[in-house]
Amino acid sequence: MGTESVVAALARRWWAVVAFVLLGVLAGAVPSPSSAADRATVWSASHTLLLSDAASSDPATASRLFNQLRLFAVAGEVPKRVATQLGYTATPASLAAQVTVEVDPLSGALRIATVQSTPEAAVSIADAFADQLTTYLAEREDKLISDRLADTVKRLDDLKAKVAAAQAKIDATPGDTLTAAELDALNRQYSVVFGQYDQLQGQQGTSKLITLETAQPIEVRPKGLSAPTSRFSRGLLGGAVGVMIGIGAALLLSRIDRRVRTRAQAEAIFGLQSQIAIPNVSKKINSPIVVVAGRHDSLSDAYRTLRNVVGFVEGGVAVAEQRGLVTLVVSPGSGDGKTSVSLNLAAAFAESGLDTIAVNTDFRRPALSERLLGEMPSSLAGRATAAAWLPLEDLIRNTRIERLSLFDLAGIEGPPGQLARITSGRVHELSAAAGAVVIDTSPVGATAEVLELVPHADVIVIVVRLDSTSVEAATRTIEILRVLTEAHLLLVIIGESRERSKYYDDYAQAPPRAARASHPAVG
């Protein structure tokens, strides 16, 4: 999204930014500001233990030992014992999550720390974990030694029984050398195991933890940014946050918007530069035709400019072929303004002195006759087939605008597609009978009748109304036209805001009464 489109999106959806700013200000200012009591400090406490034999161990062994101690402190039996000691009702795991264990293998120090809302809670939890860890490890060492002693005694008993059996066998057969050797081996094993038994009897825990420092509470004051305490500052902060959210919301709405909103967007979709923009007018238009003698304002002159541009891009090919210029006015969808453009473009050609025929081919929603003549086209006696061979003078109607005639088969019974094909078959005759032919069509994105007329056009005027034409319809329209024709394509933008010009205030005049009608100009 380019800079211009970002600015345009914010300009169109400024209300989203304002809404979020107001919400942010209210959300920040309305709640009661927090007081110092609401932001009370917390308390930290740590209990330091020292492992007596850590310094004598090699680094790898010490590191592994301390990792085991860290695990013993926060998992298994120790958290359960602490929870029971403190009367903690939640799970032991949630209690263990409140402590951190730091180790230093080089010095042999192990620190159990916690942060709590009160100094008493911090001290009791840190000391409880340290005490229970020390007690648990001592009990664990004693149990290990006891189990090893019991296992050694059992081995001694087994060996003693085997020695007695071997000795009895030798007594029975004094010359049995094999049994004598076996007895000698059993005696040596018995001596080794007995030595291990003596050693275990004098052994104590190998990893003895002692308290170096009990827990002491330390007040922890909050640092860094904190919530403002005054309503004004909170509201200001909420408004700033609202600005950022509002900008994001406006850009998101712009990205998912499926309507053509700006000239730049329309030009990007069609791949055309728009030389003509039909402006918005602040006052109500009483007549659908604004190109009349004596009227020169920004709206009527925009249609005159369109007439000149159409004649310029066509390059005089129609004149060289001694026929009238055929201009096809199309739009991606209904309500885009193509009928108003067709009427006023035809009036502009007639004003320049060319005999002009305005042609209707929108037979599903015919509006050209009603806006030009003030009535619907008269019904003909024949069917649709009759219009294919009737003389043009029987089908063309004069209008109250000099040099402007109307060709409209909407009063003939028949399907829209058939009427469009008949009209298409007579475009050549119409161009031979007039200096300019302006054809009002059905929307390209809605019907297929318009495709009957595309091959006959010298210039195709594509009408897009900002904030109305859909992106999908516009894209489909240009894809169809690019495939079907090599005629000149002109992009006309309707609804682009313009700054008011005092120049037109001096020269604008009310249109003559004869050119007025009671029907509003709608697309």
Side-chain angles (χ1 to χ4, degrees):
M1 182 178 287
T3 303
E4 291 186 4
S5 59
V6 170
V7 173
L10 295 178
R12 287 194 306 274
R13 296 174 177 82
W14 57 267
W15 51 267
V17 180
V18 172
F20 278 103
V21 169
L22 293 177
L23 288 175
V25 170
L26 291 175
V30 170
S32 299
S34 59
S35 62
D38 297 330
R39 297 178 288 110
T41 57
V42 294
W43 297 83
S44 172
S46 60
H47 188 118
T48 304
L49 298 170
L50 189 64
L51 185 62
S52 59
D53 61 346
S56 60
S57 303
D58 63 272
T61 301
S63 177
R64 182 170 62 254
L65 177 59
F66 272 103
N67 287 333
Q68 291 176 354
L69 292 176
R70 181 190 288 114
L71 183 61
F72 283 137
V74 296
E77 186 66 22
V78 172
K80 294 179 182 179
R81 294 186 178 188
V82 174
T84 301
Q85 175 184 338
L86 299 179
Y88 189 74
T89 56
T91 62
S94 64
L95 180 60
Q98 301 177 29
V99 301
T100 58
V101 181
E102 300 176 359
V103 298
D104 184 8
L106 295 179
S107 64
L110 183 145
R111 179 177 297 163
I112 300 176
T114 184
V115 176
Q116 301 295 327
S117 58
T118 63
E120 295 80 11
V123 170
S124 62
I125 291 178
D127 286 342
F129 269 92
D131 293 342
Q132 292 297 338
L133 176 62
T134 303
T135 302
Y136 172 72
L137 290 178
E139 293 176 356
R140 183 173 179 272
E141 290 291 337
D142 291 342
K143 186 175 185 305
L144 288 175
I145 294 174
S146 176
D147 292 342
R148 292 172 64 183
L149 280 171
D151 182 67
T152 304
V153 169
K154 184 177 181 302
R155 291 175 60 192
L156 287 174
D157 291 340
D158 291 341
L159 288 172
K160 186 176 181 180
K162 292 179 180 180
V163 168
Q167 184 63 49
K169 188 176 182 180
I170 290 177
D171 292 341
T173 54
D176 189 352
T177 57
L178 181 61
T179 303
E182 180 182 356
L183 178 61
D184 185 59
L186 289 172
N187 285 326
R188 286 197 301 270
Q189 291 182 22
Y190 186 87
S191 298
V192 171
V193 174
F194 190 81
Q196 293 175 352
Y197 176 76
D198 286 341
Q199 184 178 3
L200 286 173
Q201 280 186 319
Q203 186 176 359
Q204 296 179 349
T206 57
S207 299
K208 186 175 181 180
L209 282 173
I210 59 175
T211 295
L212 184 62
E213 183 181 36
T214 58
Q216 298 293 328
I218 301 175
E219 186 179 10
V220 180
R221 297 183 179 272
K223 297 181 180 180
L225 297 177
S226 60
T229 58
S230 67
R231 291 185 184 276
F232 176 79
S233 56
R234 288 168 64 91
L236 190 63
L237 178 60
V241 174
V243 168
M244 294 185 288
I245 297 177
I247 291 175
L251 297 180
L252 177 62
L253 289 174
S254 179
R255 183 168 293 276
I256 64 177
D257 189 3
R258 305 314 300 165
R259 297 288 176 181
V260 179
R261 300 296 182 181
T262 64
R263 176 202 286 255
Q265 185 183 9
E267 290 176 342
I269 293 173
F270 287 94
L272 301 169
Q273 292 294 319
S274 174
Q275 290 85 12
I276 308 298
I278 308 299
N280 284 323
V281 291
S282 57
K283 59 184 179 180
K284 183 179 180 181
I285 302 175
N286 294 322
S287 172
I289 301 177
V290 298
V291 181
V292 294
R295 177 168 179 166
H296 291 279
D297 57 5
S298 60
L299 182 60
S300 60
D301 278 4
Y303 291 116
R304 293 184 177 97
T305 302
L306 175 60
R307 173 198 63 199
N308 295 336
V309 173
V310 169
F312 175 78
V313 299
E314 191 272 339
V317 175
V319 175
E321 296 178 356
Q322 298 183 346
R323 62 174 178 82
L325 170 64
V326 178
T327 304
L328 193 67
V329 182
V330 302
S331 68
S334 60
D336 289 337
K338 59 178 178 53
T339 300
S340 295
V341 172
S342 300
L343 280 173
N344 287 281
L345 178 59
F349 274 122
E351 183 185 59
S352 68
L354 289 177
D355 290 331
T356 305
I357 300 177
V359 181
N360 172 59
T361 59
D362 188 358
F363 298 107
R364 299 177 187 271
R365 294 183 179 178
L368 196 64
S369 292
E370 185 177 4
R371 297 186 193 179
L372 189 56
L373 303 178
E375 61 183 14
M376 293 299 292
S378 303
S379 298
L380 299 179
R383 300 295 182 184
T385 54
W389 53 265
L390 284 174
L392 285 181
E393 54 268 20
D394 293 341
L395 300 174
I396 294 178
R397 301 183 63 185
N398 294 325
T399 69
R400 53 177 169 253
I401 298 177
E402 186 179 358
R403 293 185 178 275
L404 179 58
S405 302
L406 172 66
F407 183 89
D408 189 356
L409 301 182
I412 299 178
E413 294 184 10
Q418 184 181 12
L419 296 178
R421 285 189 294 273
I422 293 173
T423 304
S424 174
R426 308 207 69 167
V427 170
H428 180 72
E429 297 177 67
L430 293 170
S431 64
V437 178
V438 179
I439 305 176
D440 181 32
T441 67
S442 56
V444 176
T447 67
E449 288 90 50
V450 62
L451 306 183
E452 301 283 348
L453 287 303
V454 170
H456 301 287
D458 298 309
V459 179
I460 298 178
V461 176
I462 307 171
V463 180
V464 173
R465 183 182 294 276
L466 300 183
D467 301 326
S468 177
T469 302
S470 73
V471 174
E472 291 82 1
T475 303
R476 186 166 58 251
T477 295
I478 190 60
E479 290 175 350
I480 292 174
L481 293 178
R482 293 290 190 193
V483 171
L484 295 181
T485 184
E486 295 182 358
H488 299 285
L489 302 178
L490 286 179
L491 180 61
V492 174
I493 304 296
I494 294 181
E496 185 177 43
S497 299
R498 285 187 177 182
E499 294 183 1
R500 186 175 180 181
S501 174
K502 293 183 178 180
Y503 176 85
Y504 282 114
D505 291 342
D506 296 335
Y507 288 88
Q509 299 180 13
R513 183 177 301 276
R516 296 181 182 177
S518 60
H519 304 279
V522 294

